[in-house]
Amino acid sequence: MERERSITEVPGIGKKAAADLLALGVTTLRSMLFLRPRAYDDRREERRLADASISDPTISCRITVLRHEEFRTQRGMTLKVRAEDDDGTRLEILCFNRNFLKDQLKLGSSWYIYGKVSKIRGIYQIASFEIKRTKEEAGIGKILPVYPLSGSLTEKMLRRASSYALDALSPMPDELPASLYDRLGLMHHSQAYRALHYPETMEEAEEALRTLSFTELFLLELSMLRNRKMRAKRIGSQPSRREKALLQSLPFQLTDDQMKAAEEIREDMDSGIPMQRLLQGDVGSGKTLVAWLTALHAIDSGKQVAFMAPTELLARQHADGAAALLAPLGVRIAFITGSVKGESRRLLLKSLKEGSTDLAIGTHALFSEDVSFHDLGYVIIDEQHRFGVMQREALRKKGSNASILSMTATPIPRSLALTLFADSAVSTLHSMPNGRIPVRTYLVSESRRAEMYNAVGVEFQRGHQAYFVYPRIDDEGEGDLRDVTTMHDFLRKEYPGIQSCLIHSRLPDDEKMQILRSFREKKLQYLVATSVVEVGIDVPEATCMVIEHAERFGLAALHQLRGRVGRSTLPSYCFLVYGSNLTDDAKQRLNIMRETTDGFCIAEKDLEIRGPGEITGEKQSGFLHLRFASLTGSIEMVEMAREEAEKVVQEDRGLLKAENAPLRQALAKSGERGI
Ligand code: ADP
Ligand code: MG
């Protein structure tokens, strides 16, 4: 395959900009085209000052310079240019940090200006604006894309990059069979990308998005349907020697769901076709064990396994877990994160490359450039919704033929799982391990704070443990928010003689890990924490979770935090302390938390409150790699894509017909669509 052209080819995009673009998922010219504008700047109409209103203060028109003045600001003298538009309406142009404009904006000269005005004491002022010699340069008469930004990037740079990429990559071959375009009224590929970034009309932008969404869903459905058909012959796999040994060493029985999930994964792995599977299960349902079992299956068949966690802390916890469960079975384990450096890193990398390590556990650093595997057969991604596009992309490149298991506690709603996956590539842990008691959740107002401290104190007397979570590390002058530092002092007085520790993101990872180990070994009875304890932390004897300013946390975060307790057969409690002046949404969230502990239910309620609009794109649908399509917003389109894909698979599963050649190429190029 030809090499992808890098984004740094664009004039003006250097190292720094490239690094910031990476955060947006853009590395190549092609990926620049995938960057969907978050909005459009419609500059088609001339808008003079008289047209500006509070609801739309935008102007885009010609102005003539009348006078130069200066006014004093904190940073010294600033240029103020007085001007008028073609109606003769006056405008003051405030040139903050742009005094150099004085030489350009000569008295009597005419310019095209674009920006938003405000009216101060009857006079229009503008401070943030683009000003250009010609209409063309100012983009007046056009619709311009507005991109998401990060770091040092500006809209100007991104617009330059997208126009460059469009020119450089045109014409692009179509990705769908020719007959579909007419029948479904889709835009051809090249035209669709041009119209997505630089539409002539807003309708055209919508059409482009419709085409790209459909294409994306169609290819996704197609690759899933093909996989499913090929996997239809199940072979009935057996647990390997060490899988059986692990099962025997456990002090408990696997749940039926855990057994079933392990079996599904095992069969996928033995089928010879790289697996792409999602393992979803609520917090505490025991996903890690399924991961270890199936890792053993891969290792026993001579493959290497990589286990990736979203944070260093979680990776270390898993490494401890693997050391306890798998090392006794002779599994050779390595721990690799960004903080493993120097000689020890060199040795680890060497053993991975030579194949003398079976299982590598770490953060996304597992897939940095200097890491290579001898024979990577299986990749497990814990809390996969926490990873960004780039990290998953790096992973895909490293282990292009490896099976991938994505684990998540953030389920996709049932209805969507059905439509999209036909349940074929999703394993679900519906039930909790035996003997678990649902966490009891209490909403605590200020007036009942003392009662809550008493209740937690009783748990301490029983030898149980607790987390106290606050939204802040220290008092940053916003006196109304409780922070961990202040509250730790307070709690020490409240519970004299009880061992405790502060834990937050600013501590070095080693120290965080040390604290967590002491907590697990019960040398500490409570942790005073920020949301660093949100994801994945597993300390079974913790029975109390106190979350202050609970109204500030989203439903998903609250559910994850609460999931830190209730991980054994002990009764557990979650206290959500709330402040005054709750918004309606916040009240609703807290009530949902009180009423249910079911993660699926919470995810669906979350959708209802936030609306399906927010589920689009990379962020929410996470593992689906969707760039354009919205899952909940366009169920009809999802279904249409599925129908069309089914037709193709029925007629030409191997995609051998000439008209299906574009599909073959598109699938090969995207490598993997779906989970
Ligand atoms: P999650 O699905 O949130 O990642 P974990 O894998 O961390 O959950 O498991 C939570 C806890 O439940 C762990 O302490 C684990 O040892 C325990 N566990 C897992 N499976 C079982 C089981 N079948 N019976 C009892 N305890 C289990
Ligand atoms: Mg977990």
Coordinates of all heavy atoms in Angstrom, one line a residue, residues 573-627:
Y573 N -22.1 0.9 51.2 CA -22.9 2.1 51.3 C -22.3 3.2 50.4 O -21.0 3.3 50.4 CB -23.0 2.7 52.7 CG -23.4 1.6 53.6 CD1 -22.5 0.8 54.3 CD2 -24.8 1.3 53.8 CE1 -22.9 -0.3 55.1 CE2 -25.2 0.2 54.6 CZ -24.2 -0.6 55.3 OH -24.6 -1.6 56.1
C574 N -23.1 4.0 49.7 CA -22.6 5.1 49.0 C -23.3 6.4 49.5 O -24.6 6.4 49.5 CB -22.8 4.9 47.5 SG -22.4 6.3 46.5
F575 N -22.6 7.4 49.9 CA -23.2 8.6 50.4 C -22.9 9.7 49.4 O -21.8 10.1 49.1 CB -22.6 9.0 51.7 CG -22.9 8.0 52.8 CD1 -21.9 7.0 53.1 CD2 -24.1 7.9 53.5 CE1 -22.1 6.1 54.0 CE2 -24.3 6.9 54.5 CZ -23.3 6.0 54.7
L576 N -24.0 10.3 48.8 CA -23.8 11.4 47.9 C -24.2 12.7 48.6 O -25.4 12.9 48.8 CB -24.7 11.2 46.7 CG -24.5 9.8 45.9 CD1 -25.5 9.7 44.8 CD2 -23.1 9.8 45.4
V577 N -23.2 13.5 48.9 CA -23.4 14.7 49.6 C -23.6 15.8 48.6 O -22.8 16.0 47.7 CB -22.2 15.1 50.5 CG1 -22.5 16.3 51.4 CG2 -21.8 13.8 51.4
Y578 N -24.7 16.5 48.7 CA -25.0 17.6 47.7 C -25.1 18.9 48.4 O -25.4 19.1 49.6 CB -26.2 17.2 46.9 CG -27.5 17.1 47.8 CD1 -28.3 18.2 48.0 CD2 -27.9 15.8 48.3 CE1 -29.5 18.0 48.7 CE2 -29.0 15.7 49.1 CZ -29.8 16.8 49.3 OH -31.0 16.7 50.0
G579 N -24.9 20.0 47.6 CA -25.0 21.3 48.1 C -26.4 21.9 47.8 O -27.3 21.2 47.4
S580 N -26.5 23.2 48.0 CA -27.8 23.8 47.8 C -27.8 24.3 46.3 O -26.9 24.1 45.5 CB -27.9 25.1 48.7 OG -26.7 25.8 48.6
N581 N -29.0 24.8 45.9 CA -29.1 25.3 44.5 C -28.9 24.3 43.4 O -28.1 24.5 42.5 CB -28.2 26.5 44.2 CG -28.5 27.6 45.1 OD1 -29.6 27.8 45.6 ND2 -27.5 28.4 45.4
L582 N -29.5 23.1 43.6 CA -29.3 22.1 42.6 C -30.1 22.4 41.3 O -31.2 22.9 41.4 CB -29.8 20.7 43.1 CG -29.0 20.1 44.2 CD1 -29.5 18.7 44.5 CD2 -27.5 20.0 43.8
T583 N -29.5 22.2 40.2 CA -30.2 22.3 38.9 C -31.1 21.1 38.8 O -30.9 20.1 39.5 CB -29.3 22.3 37.7 OG1 -28.6 21.0 37.6 CG2 -28.2 23.4 37.8
D584 N -32.1 21.2 37.9 CA -33.0 20.1 37.7 C -32.3 18.8 37.2 O -32.5 17.7 37.7 CB -34.1 20.5 36.6 CG -35.1 21.4 37.2 OD1 -35.1 21.5 38.5 OD2 -35.9 22.0 36.5
D585 N -31.3 19.1 36.3 CA -30.5 17.9 35.8 C -29.8 17.2 36.9 O -29.8 16.0 37.0 CB -29.5 18.4 34.8 CG -30.1 18.4 33.4 OD1 -31.3 18.2 33.3 OD2 -29.3 18.7 32.5
A586 N -29.2 18.0 37.8 CA -28.4 17.5 38.9 C -29.4 16.7 39.9 O -29.0 15.6 40.3 CB -27.7 18.6 39.7
K587 N -30.5 17.2 40.1 CA -31.5 16.5 41.0 C -31.9 15.2 40.4 O -31.9 14.1 41.0 CB -32.8 17.3 41.1 CG -32.8 18.2 42.3 CD -34.2 18.9 42.4 CE -33.9 20.3 43.0 NZ -34.9 21.3 42.6
Q588 N -32.1 15.2 39.1 CA -32.5 14.0 38.3 C -31.3 13.0 38.4 O -31.6 11.8 38.7 CB -32.7 14.3 36.9 CG -34.0 13.8 36.3 CD -34.1 14.3 34.8 OE1 -33.7 15.4 34.5 NE2 -34.7 13.4 34.0
R589 N -30.1 13.4 38.3 CA -29.0 12.5 38.3 C -28.9 11.8 39.7 O -28.7 10.6 39.8 CB -27.7 13.2 38.0 CG -27.4 13.6 36.6 CD -26.0 13.8 36.3 NE -25.4 15.0 37.1 CZ -25.4 16.2 36.6 NH1 -26.0 16.5 35.5 NH2 -24.9 17.2 37.4
L590 N -29.0 12.6 40.7 CA -28.8 12.1 42.1 C -30.0 11.1 42.3 O -29.7 10.0 42.9 CB -28.8 13.2 43.1 CG -27.6 14.1 43.0 CD1 -27.7 15.2 44.1 CD2 -26.3 13.4 43.1
N591 N -31.2 11.4 41.9 CA -32.3 10.5 42.1 C -32.1 9.2 41.4 O -32.4 8.1 41.9 CB -33.6 11.1 41.7 CG -34.1 12.1 42.8 OD1 -33.9 11.8 44.0 ND2 -34.7 13.2 42.4
I592 N -31.6 9.2 40.2 CA -31.3 8.0 39.4 C -30.3 7.2 40.2 O -30.5 5.9 40.3 CB -30.8 8.3 38.0 CG1 -31.9 8.9 37.2 CG2 -30.3 7.1 37.3 CD1 -31.5 9.6 35.9
M593 N -29.3 7.8 40.7 CA -28.3 7.1 41.5 C -28.9 6.4 42.7 O -28.5 5.3 43.1 CB -27.1 8.0 41.9 CG -26.2 8.5 40.8 SD -25.4 7.1 40.0 CE -24.3 6.6 41.3
R594 N -29.8 7.1 43.3 CA -30.4 6.5 44.5 C -31.3 5.3 44.1 O -31.4 4.3 44.8 CB -31.3 7.5 45.3 CG -31.9 7.0 46.5 CD -32.6 8.0 47.4 NE -33.5 8.7 46.6 CZ -34.2 9.8 47.0 NH1 -33.9 10.3 48.2 NH2 -35.0 10.4 46.3
E595 N -32.0 5.5 43.0 CA -32.9 4.4 42.6 C -32.4 3.2 42.0 O -32.9 2.1 42.2 CB -34.0 5.0 41.7 CG -35.0 5.8 42.4 CD -35.6 6.9 41.5 OE1 -35.6 6.7 40.3 OE2 -36.1 7.9 42.1
T596 N -31.3 3.3 41.4 CA -30.8 2.0 40.7 C -29.3 1.9 40.8 O -28.5 2.9 40.9 CB -31.2 2.0 39.2 OG1 -30.7 0.8 38.6 CG2 -30.6 3.2 38.4
T597 N -28.8 0.6 40.8 CA -27.4 0.3 40.7 C -27.0 -0.3 39.4 O -25.9 -0.7 39.2 CB -27.0 -0.6 41.9 OG1 -27.8 -1.8 41.8 CG2 -27.1 0.1 43.2
D598 N -28.0 -0.4 38.5 CA -27.8 -1.1 37.3 C -27.2 -0.2 36.2 O -27.8 0.8 35.8 CB -29.2 -1.6 36.8 CG -29.1 -2.3 35.4 OD1 -28.1 -2.2 34.7 OD2 -30.1 -3.0 35.1
G599 N -26.0 -0.5 35.8 CA -25.2 0.3 34.9 C -25.9 0.5 33.6 O -25.8 1.6 33.0
F600 N -26.6 -0.5 33.1 CA -27.2 -0.4 31.8 C -28.3 0.6 31.9 O -28.5 1.5 31.0 CB -27.9 -1.8 31.4 CG -26.9 -2.7 30.8 CD1 -26.2 -3.6 31.6 CD2 -26.5 -2.7 29.5 CE1 -25.3 -4.5 31.1 CE2 -25.6 -3.5 29.0 CZ -25.0 -4.5 29.8
C601 N -29.1 0.5 33.0 CA -30.2 1.4 33.2 C -29.6 2.9 33.3 O -30.2 3.8 32.7 CB -30.9 1.0 34.4 SG -32.2 2.0 34.9
I602 N -28.5 3.0 34.1 CA -28.0 4.4 34.2 C -27.5 4.9 32.9 O -27.7 6.1 32.6 CB -26.8 4.3 35.3 CG1 -27.5 4.0 36.7 CG2 -26.1 5.6 35.3 CD1 -26.5 3.9 37.8
A603 N -26.9 4.1 32.1 CA -26.4 4.5 30.8 C -27.6 5.0 29.9 O -27.5 6.0 29.2 CB -25.7 3.4 30.1
E604 N -28.7 4.3 30.0 CA -29.8 4.7 29.2 C -30.5 6.0 29.7 O -30.8 6.9 28.9 CB -30.8 3.6 29.0 CG -30.3 2.6 28.0 CD -31.2 1.4 27.7 OE1 -32.3 1.3 28.3 OE2 -30.8 0.6 26.8
K605 N -30.5 6.2 31.0 CA -31.0 7.4 31.6 C -30.1 8.6 31.2 O -30.6 9.7 30.9 CB -31.1 7.3 33.1 CG -32.1 6.3 33.6 CD -33.4 6.8 33.7 CE -34.4 5.8 34.4 NZ -35.8 6.0 34.1
D606 N -28.9 8.3 31.2 CA -27.9 9.3 30.9 C -28.2 9.8 29.5 O -28.2 11.0 29.3 CB -26.5 8.7 31.0 CG -25.4 9.7 31.2 OD1 -25.7 10.9 31.5 OD2 -24.2 9.4 30.9
L607 N -28.4 8.9 28.6 CA -28.8 9.3 27.2 C -30.0 10.2 27.2 O -30.1 11.2 26.5 CB -29.2 8.0 26.5 CG -28.2 7.4 25.6 CD1 -28.8 6.2 24.9 CD2 -27.8 8.4 24.6
E608 N -31.0 9.8 28.0 CA -32.3 10.6 28.0 C -32.0 12.0 28.5 O -32.5 12.9 27.9 CB -33.3 9.9 29.0 CG -34.1 8.8 28.4 CD -34.9 8.1 29.5 OE1 -35.3 8.8 30.4 OE2 -35.1 6.9 29.3
I609 N -31.2 12.1 29.6 CA -31.0 13.5 30.1 C -30.2 14.3 29.1 O -30.5 15.4 28.9 CB -30.3 13.4 31.5 CG1 -31.1 12.6 32.5 CG2 -30.0 14.8 32.0 CD1 -30.5 12.6 33.9
R610 N -29.1 13.7 28.6 CA -28.2 14.5 27.8 C -28.7 14.6 26.3 O -28.3 15.4 25.6 CB -26.8 13.9 27.8 CG -26.2 14.1 29.2 CD -24.8 13.8 29.1 NE -24.6 12.4 28.8 CZ -23.4 11.9 28.4 NH1 -22.3 12.7 28.4 NH2 -23.2 10.7 28.1
G611 N -29.6 13.7 26.0 CA -30.1 13.7 24.6 C -29.2 13.0 23.7 O -28.0 13.0 23.9
P612 N -29.7 12.4 22.6 CA -28.9 11.6 21.8 C -27.9 12.4 21.0 O -26.9 11.8 20.6 CB -29.9 10.9 20.8 CG -31.1 11.8 20.9 CD -31.1 12.4 22.2
G613 N -28.1 13.7 20.9 CA -27.2 14.5 20.1 C -25.7 14.3 20.6 O -24.8 14.3 19.8
E614 N -25.5 14.1 21.9 CA -24.2 14.1 22.4 C -23.5 12.7 22.2 O -22.4 12.5 22.5 CB -24.2 14.4 23.9 CG -24.4 15.8 24.2 CD -24.0 16.2 25.5 OE1 -23.1 15.5 26.1 OE2 -24.5 17.2 26.1
I615 N -24.3 11.8 21.7 CA -23.7 10.4 21.6 C -22.9 10.3 20.3 O -22.3 9.3 20.0 CB -24.8 9.4 21.6 CG1 -25.4 9.3 23.0 CG2 -24.4 8.0 21.2 CD1 -24.9 8.2 23.8
T616 N -23.0 11.3 19.5 CA -22.3 11.1 18.2 C -20.8 11.1 18.4 O -20.3 11.5 19.4 CB -22.6 12.3 17.3 OG1 -22.3 13.5 18.0 CG2 -24.1 12.3 16.9
G617 N -20.2 10.7 17.3 CA -18.7 10.9 17.2 C -17.9 10.0 18.1 O -18.4 9.2 18.9
E618 N -16.7 10.3 18.0 CA -15.7 9.5 18.7 C -15.9 9.4 20.2 O -15.8 8.3 20.8 CB -14.4 10.3 18.5 CG -13.1 9.5 18.9 CD -13.0 8.2 18.3 OE1 -13.3 8.0 17.1 OE2 -12.6 7.3 19.1
K619 N -16.3 10.5 20.8 CA -16.2 10.6 22.3 C -17.1 9.6 22.9 O -16.7 8.8 23.8 CB -16.6 12.0 22.8 CG -15.9 12.3 24.1 CD -15.9 13.7 24.4 CE -17.3 14.3 24.6 NZ -17.4 15.7 24.3
Q620 N -18.4 9.6 22.5 CA -19.4 8.7 23.2 C -19.4 7.3 22.7 O -19.4 6.4 23.4 CB -20.7 9.4 23.1 CG -20.9 10.6 23.8 CD -20.7 10.4 25.3 OE1 -21.1 9.4 25.8 NE2 -20.1 11.4 26.0
S621 N -19.4 7.2 21.4 CA -19.5 5.8 20.9 C -18.2 5.1 20.9 O -18.0 4.0 20.4 CB -20.2 5.8 19.5 OG -19.7 6.8 18.7
G622 N -17.2 5.8 21.5 CA -15.9 5.2 21.7 C -15.4 4.1 20.8 O -14.8 4.4 19.7
F623 N -15.6 2.9 21.2 CA -15.1 1.8 20.5 C -15.5 1.7 19.1 O -15.0 0.9 18.3 CB -15.4 0.5 21.3 CG -16.8 0.5 21.7 CD1 -17.8 0.0 20.8 CD2 -17.3 1.0 22.9 CE1 -19.1 -0.1 21.1 CE2 -18.6 0.9 23.2 CZ -19.5 0.4 22.3
L624 N -16.5 2.4 18.7 CA -17.1 2.2 17.3 C -16.3 2.9 16.3 O -16.5 2.7 15.1 CB -18.5 2.6 17.3 CG -19.4 1.5 18.0 CD1 -20.8 2.0 18.1 CD2 -19.4 0.2 17.2
H625 N -15.4 3.8 16.6 CA -14.6 4.5 15.6 C -15.4 5.3 14.7 O -15.1 5.5 13.5 CB -13.8 3.5 14.7 CG -12.6 3.0 15.3 ND1 -11.4 3.5 14.9 CD2 -12.4 2.1 16.3 CE1 -10.5 2.8 15.6 NE2 -11.1 2.0 16.4
L626 N -16.6 5.8 15.1 CA -17.4 6.5 14.2 C -17.0 8.0 14.1 O -16.8 8.6 15.1 CB -18.9 6.5 14.7 CG -19.5 5.1 14.5 CD1 -21.0 5.2 15.0 CD2 -19.4 4.6 13.1
R627 N -16.8 8.4 12.9 CA -16.4 9.8 12.7 C -17.6 10.6 12.4 O -17.6 11.8 12.7 CB -15.4 9.8 11.5 CG -14.1 9.1 11.8 CD -13.1 9.3 10.7 NE -11.9 8.7 11.1 CZ -11.5 7.5 10.6 NH1 -12.2 6.9 9.8 NH2 -10.3 7.0 11.0

